[in-house]
Amino acid sequence: MTEKQTWSQRFESALNPAIARFNASIGFDIELIKYDITGSQAHAKMLAHTGIISYEEGEILFTGLEQIRQEYDQGKFQPGIDSEDVHFAVEKRLTEIVGDVGKKLHTARSRNDQVGTDTRLYLRDQIRKIRQQLREFQGVLLDIAEKNVETLIPGYTHLQRAQPVSLAHHLLAYFQMAQRDWERLADVYSRVNISPLGCGALAGTTFPIDRHYTAKLLHFDRVYANSLDGVSDRDFAIEFLCAASIIMVHLSRLSEEVILWASEEFRFVTLKDSCATGSSIMPQKKNPDVPELVRGKTGRVFGHLQAMLVIMKGLPLAYNKDLQEDKEGIFDSVNTVKACLEAMTILLQEGLEFRHQRLATAVTEDFANATDVADYLAARGVPFREAYNIVGKVVKTSIAAGKLLKDLHLEEWQEIHPAFAADIYEAIAPRQVVAARNSYGGTGFVQVREAIVNARTQINGK
Ligand code: ARG
């Protein structure tokens, strides 16, 4: 390290090069550069607005910062490790461009409130993008649901066949999860969108700044009421990572289902060539790499949440360098969630083909209509628990005889209980089994059609 640090006047000797590398965050916080510039422009305007610097000086700072933005966009500004972090890098370049006036930018500000501002501006943008992606994901789920209201698929509990459901109903469950994610992110946004700018290093500043002015310029809803809290709060990061983790839980569950469905054991879907990969040794293979990767990437987002919680738990007020560790986890989580949402949306859109014939067979080859036999008796006055026990016995003897419920003769039904009549066959046909579950939120076709209409309205609303 040959160059002197910005803070180096207080120091006798230069930083050990290995320590400089260890200390530096420029390698990753360069991601924040456009937000750093925008935040600094607002700060410069405020300094001029309050008379802390002259109007002309404010203009010079603003324009110089704009030039850095362009230089960076054109690949002409690539700060190195000697800048330590993005904040120093921008300030240094500014002074190179506009001369000594550049040195006034950091009046009444600290990197502590600055980095908090940058991170919040970044996260605000990213939350908007992720919410948009969630809407696209929901839209594709709805498109498939609309075409498959009457497609039946076995429904499971304990991964045992339980009751058949409409495929649309199954997909709409994921729509609802994504809806909560979308709403949750809006809630997180409201606490990301608070300005720490002007909290200074920790205690505020001696200058007559106007924090509300910068907050307004940067479209923050409000400002932190306590400067110590403002520079050291990372609740918003924890909340975001938590919301991101829940999104990953949802995507990972869907992934797991697709992986199962694509297996030879289920054969519910075929993976299309555009979204599947082959094996380097087994020529017959078509692998569900996309959902496997999504399932696998879930771990890193959970890890970042855990890391952030641990970073915070023992921190005394106010800023501590530990907080520099917040950024890589946030960036990686943002990139992971966006990549996974995109991949899953494409997979749903063009990578899956439901095997209708196979699904139709699957819902007729088991005892998933047993509850309906019990319900049949219960509807005819037999107490449900008694009916349940009767049907349990029927299932047992049918399995022993190698028969399904639909194969029993009417006489056999009537021997079991006199309440059985010829309409039992209709009552236990898979289509009727599904249609009959017409309670609110159930899989009955009427319910599902209504749920689709509501879902459409919901995503078209905003
Ligand atoms: N690079 C630092 C970070 O990411 C910026 C704030 C540094 N503040 C300080 N007092 N050293 O947290």
Side-chain angles (χ1 to χ4, degrees):
M1 181 85 8
T2 44
E3 263 200 69
K4 278 191 148 194
Q5 308 292 336
T6 304
W7 34 259
S8 70
Q9 302 312 315
R10 187 227 180 282
F11 288 73
E12 295 292 338
S13 60
L15 204 52
N16 176 303
I19 297 299
R21 280 196 300 279
F22 183 68
N23 194 46
S25 54
I26 187 76
F28 50 87
D29 65 16
I30 190 70
E31 179 91 24
L32 296 175
I33 189 163
K34 67 177 195 180
Y35 306 102
D36 195 74
I37 291 170
T38 303
S40 289
Q41 286 177 323
H43 181 67
K45 274 195 172 175
M46 184 279 293
L47 291 176
H49 173 77
T50 50
I52 297 170
I53 61 173
S54 72
Y55 175 79
E56 291 72 26
E57 287 171 330
E59 283 284 291
I60 292 169
L61 294 178
F62 189 95
T63 318
L65 286 162
E66 202 51 36
Q67 184 179 327
I68 300 175
R69 191 193 298 279
Q70 278 164 24
E71 286 178 1
Y72 183 77
D73 287 348
Q74 293 161 1
K76 289 187 203 148
F77 177 50
Q78 289 164 340
I81 188 122
D82 52 306
S83 294
E84 185 176 324
D85 61 24
V86 67
H87 324 294
F88 275 149
V90 171
E91 192 182 329
K92 199 165 134 227
R93 180 72 194 124
L94 182 65
T95 305
E96 282 168 14
I97 296 172
V98 304
D100 278 352
V101 188
K103 295 180 183 166
K104 292 200 171 186
L105 176 67
H106 212 52
T107 314
R109 185 177 73 167
S110 153
R111 280 184 299 158
N112 300 349
D113 54 346
Q114 190 179 356
V115 71
T117 305
D118 294 4
T119 311
R120 285 166 179 81
L121 293 178
Y122 163 86
L123 214 41
R124 243 174 34 179
D125 258 11
Q126 298 300 335
I127 288 175
R128 281 196 211 107
K129 286 183 187 154
I130 295 171
R131 291 184 85 220
Q132 182 52 39
Q133 280 192 295
L134 282 166
R135 279 296 191 234
E136 283 155 29
F137 173 69
Q138 288 181 299
V140 173
L141 282 169
L142 269 187
D143 291 343
I144 307 175
E146 263 159 10
K147 292 188 196 104
N148 288 286
V149 174
E150 307 220 356
T151 306
L152 308 188
I153 184 171
Y156 296 80
T157 63
H158 314 268
L159 204 58
Q160 304 286 321
R161 295 261 178 103
Q163 288 162 357
V165 293
S166 150
L167 173 56
H169 192 56
H170 194 111
L171 296 173
L172 286 173
Y174 286 99
F175 176 97
Q176 291 299 337
M177 296 178 218
Q179 180 61 25
R180 287 194 295 277
D181 291 330
W182 187 84
E183 290 169 12
R184 192 174 290 112
L185 279 178
D187 188 47
V188 172
Y189 189 99
S190 70
R191 276 174 302 280
V192 170
N193 205 21
I194 308 173
S195 174
L197 194 56
C199 288
L202 75 164
T205 173
T206 55
F207 291 93
I209 58 167
D210 187 343
R211 292 187 56 205
H212 299 280
Y213 184 81
T214 43
K216 203 168 164 204
L217 287 179
L218 295 169
H219 307 290
F220 281 113
D221 289 335
R222 51 204 162 110
V223 303
Y224 274 88
N226 179 295
S227 63
L228 293 164
D229 182 39
V231 289
S232 66
D233 170 38
R234 292 295 181 275
D235 291 0
F236 72 96
I238 295 173
E239 285 188 52
F240 170 76
L241 293 170
C242 185
S245 294
I246 300 175
I247 295 175
M248 291 307 296
V249 171
H250 297 154
L251 294 181
S252 187
R253 291 182 70 182
L254 178 58
S255 295
E256 174 64 16
E257 297 216 273
V258 171
I259 293 163
L260 286 174
W261 289 346
S263 72
E264 194 55 33
E265 284 66 23
F266 278 76
R267 287 181 286 125
F268 289 175
V269 295
T270 308
L271 296 170
K272 300 270 222 36
D273 289 0
S274 67
C275 294
T277 46
S279 153
S280 61
I281 171 169
M282 296 164 283
Q284 85 284 9
K285 301 249 344 241
K286 217 179 196 190
N287 294 328
D289 287 25
V290 171
E292 287 176 293
L293 269 177
V294 170
R295 190 177 58 182
K297 284 177 189 291
T298 300
R300 58 205 282 170
V301 180
F302 292 3
H304 296 316
L305 169 61
Q306 181 67 13
M308 194 70 233
L309 287 166
V310 177
I311 288 166
M312 295 309 291
K313 79 171 273 291
L315 273 198
L317 289 175
Y319 179 87
N320 296 270
K321 187 77 166 186
D322 314 43
L323 293 176
Q324 180 165 291
E325 285 293 302
D326 64 353
K327 280 172 279 300
E328 284 165 290
I330 293 177
F331 297 159
D332 186 60
S333 299
V334 162
N335 294 337
T336 303
V337 166
K338 283 163 70 180
C340 290
L341 270 172
E342 181 183 31
M344 285 305 278
T345 304
I346 294 173
L347 180 71
L348 287 175
Q349 210 160 25
E350 59 171 77
L352 293 185
E353 200 171 338
F354 282 94
R355 300 175 67 168
H356 291 269
Q357 198 53 51
R358 162 72 189 140
L359 287 171
T361 314
V363 293
T364 57
E365 63 191 14
D366 55 33
F367 288 89
N369 49 6
T371 317
D372 297 78
V373 180
D375 285 354
Y376 181 97
L377 287 179
R380 285 158 184 77
V382 181
F384 180 79
R385 185 54 65 213
E386 203 178 311
Y388 168 93
N389 286 328
I390 294 170
V391 182
K393 273 185 222 145
V394 180
V395 170
K396 194 162 108 185
T397 52
S398 301
I399 291 172
K403 285 179 166 185
L404 290 170
L405 295 176
K406 67 178 165 59
D407 303 326
L408 298 180
H409 297 299
L410 188 55
E411 305 83 70
E412 292 176 284
W413 281 115
Q414 283 168 343
E415 262 167 47
I416 297 161
H417 199 284
F420 284 118
D423 59 355
I424 181 64
Y425 296 103
E426 164 64 9
I428 62 172
R431 211 186 164 282
Q432 177 55 25
V433 166
V434 174
R437 288 192 163 65
N438 200 30
S439 53
Y440 179 81
T443 190
F445 303 123
V446 175
Q447 291 298 324
V448 172
R449 287 213 173 81
E450 207 169 301
I452 289 176
V453 171
N454 292 341
R456 264 292 169 225
T457 317
Q458 219 161 12
I459 62 169
N460 291 338
K462 256 192 261 166

